[in-house]
Amino acid sequence: MPKKPLDANKPRGPVTAYTLFVRTCRDELRRKYPQLTVDYNVISKKCSERWKHMNDNEKKRFNETAELQRKRYKEEMAIYVQQQQQQQQQQSATSSILLQTPATQYLVEPQQRQQHTLIIPNQTQHMTTTTLVNVPKKVAKKRERKPKDPLAPKKPLSAYFLFCADERPKVLGSQS
């Protein structure tokens, strides 16, 4: 299943307290050792150990910042959702069954399963007369199978069928 395209206007999600802590650790290491290149897996392991051993007072500033991030995200999402609803209302108002273009109007009405009727107004008589045109629906093509070769060898029997062949005489003997 393909991914949905990302909306550039959608606000970014809130950052967790742990993520803020890891960013801070990485920044400290970059400032202390600018020439050193360290694998981020090693850094994240060290950060996770430090996070586990920290008490609540040390984690407090990260938790407060994360809470501010959550509030910001909720506010921005509320605004974003309102804008999306307004856009959907505007689109639904303009995209009804009757589509208006600068030159003509087109109305598609379902008639049968196989056809739709397309009503095209005549431009010469100022949209008072309409012309009916039948538009056939595309029919799916059936796939043709290759003819089976009668001389082709058969596949070998599976273990279950071999077992059934051995057991069939016993079962028939016990039933009669």
Side-chain angles (χ1 to χ4, degrees):
M1 176 182 260
K3 286 186 176 182
K4 292 182 180 178
L6 298 176
D7 187 0
N9 298 329
K10 185 175 181 182
R12 290 190 63 148
V15 180
T16 63
Y18 178 71
T19 305
L20 291 169
F21 172 72
V22 171
R23 285 182 186 171
T24 306
C25 287
R26 285 182 185 166
D27 291 342
E28 288 174 6
L29 284 173
R30 285 186 190 142
R31 273 188 255 119
K32 285 183 182 177
Y33 310 104
Q35 74 283 357
L36 187 65
T37 56
V38 181
D39 185 18
Y40 282 113
N41 291 332
V42 175
I43 293 173
S44 61
K45 286 180 184 178
K46 297 286 184 185
C47 288
S48 67
E49 290 174 13
R50 265 181 71 187
W51 182 259
K52 288 177 186 175
H53 297 295
M54 287 174 69
N55 60 20
D56 290 338
N57 288 335
E58 293 171 333
K59 293 180 183 179
K60 185 177 180 181
R61 74 173 193 181
F62 299 109
N63 288 327
E64 289 173 352
T65 308
E67 187 61 37
L68 291 173
Q69 288 277 330
R70 281 188 219 105
K71 288 179 183 177
R72 173 205 54 86
Y73 176 72
K74 285 182 182 178
E75 292 171 359
E76 289 179 1
M77 271 306 284
I79 294 169
Y80 173 77
V81 168
Q82 285 179 344
Q83 289 174 350
Q84 290 295 97
Q85 289 174 349
Q86 288 174 355
Q87 287 177 357
Q88 287 176 354
Q89 288 173 353
Q90 289 173 355
Q91 288 177 352
S92 66
T94 58
S95 65
S96 62
I97 292 178
L98 181 62
L99 299 175
Q100 295 187 359
T101 59
T104 60
Q105 295 178 342
Y106 299 98
L107 177 63
V108 178
E109 298 174 350
Q111 238 184 7
Q112 299 170 352
R113 287 183 184 234
Q114 295 294 323
Q115 292 183 343
H116 294 283
T117 302
L118 180 63
I119 302 173
I120 305 173
N122 286 346
Q123 295 176 354
T124 56
Q125 296 183 356
H126 227 337
M127 297 194 191
T128 55
T129 313
T130 57
T131 309
L132 291 178
V133 179
N134 285 331
V135 181
K137 189 176 179 181
K138 289 185 179 179
V139 179
K141 294 181 181 178
K142 289 189 176 183
R143 184 182 68 161
E144 289 186 27
R145 293 183 178 226
K146 293 180 182 176
K148 191 172 183 180
D149 184 12
L151 301 176
K154 292 185 177 182
K155 292 182 182 179
L157 293 177
S158 68
Y160 177 72
F161 281 104
L162 292 172
F163 170 76
C164 289
D166 290 342
E167 293 295 316
R168 184 174 291 117
K170 295 176 189 175
V171 173
L172 288 174
S174 67
Q175 287 184 354
S176 32

